[in-house]
Amino acid sequence: MIATTPKPPYYAVIFTSERHDGDHGYGAMAERMVELAERQSGFLGIESARDGLGITVSYWRDLESIRAWKAQVEHQEAQRLGREQWYRAFKTRIALVERDYGFSDQTD
């Protein structure tokens, strides 16, 4: 689902990853991270896709909100497990969204 975001400016955290084979608790932790992020001050939305290469984009009000999310205790544990068990490689990019526009033909 495409995240509904406010009028720019806001920030996007783009997390791209390649995983090792097997789940090893990854799915449950990923769900938990979304639950936690949704309760974090400054969180605006999230989009995620995985087909070999995983890409998750989370949207945030400001850089302070992103810093607070990175420092969140359970998120730090997920980061540790990611390095030790789940990821072959990953990259995080933080970008300022200055414009957004789109289209939807959905009428529901």
Side-chain angles (χ1 to χ4, degrees), residues 14-78:
I14 306 150
F15 181 74
T16 307
S17 63
E18 295 177 358
R19 290 220 2 241
H20 292 292
D21 292 334
D23 184 79
H24 310 287
Y26 178 85
M29 183 64 85
E31 287 179 21
R32 177 69 178 148
M33 290 303 101
V34 171
E35 290 171 8
L36 286 175
E38 288 174 341
R39 295 195 306 237
Q40 188 82 19
S41 177
F43 176 81
L44 302 174
I46 192 166
E47 300 161 341
S48 188
R50 176 167 295 281
D51 185 13
L53 182 70
I55 300 174
T56 298
V57 183
S58 58
Y59 301 99
W60 300 87
R61 177 181 59 230
D62 51 34
L63 291 172
E64 181 179 316
S65 300
I66 295 168
R67 281 188 208 97
W69 171 238
K70 183 171 175 55
Q72 201 279 347
V73 174
E74 285 186 68
H75 186 213
Q76 286 186 335
E77 175 66 3

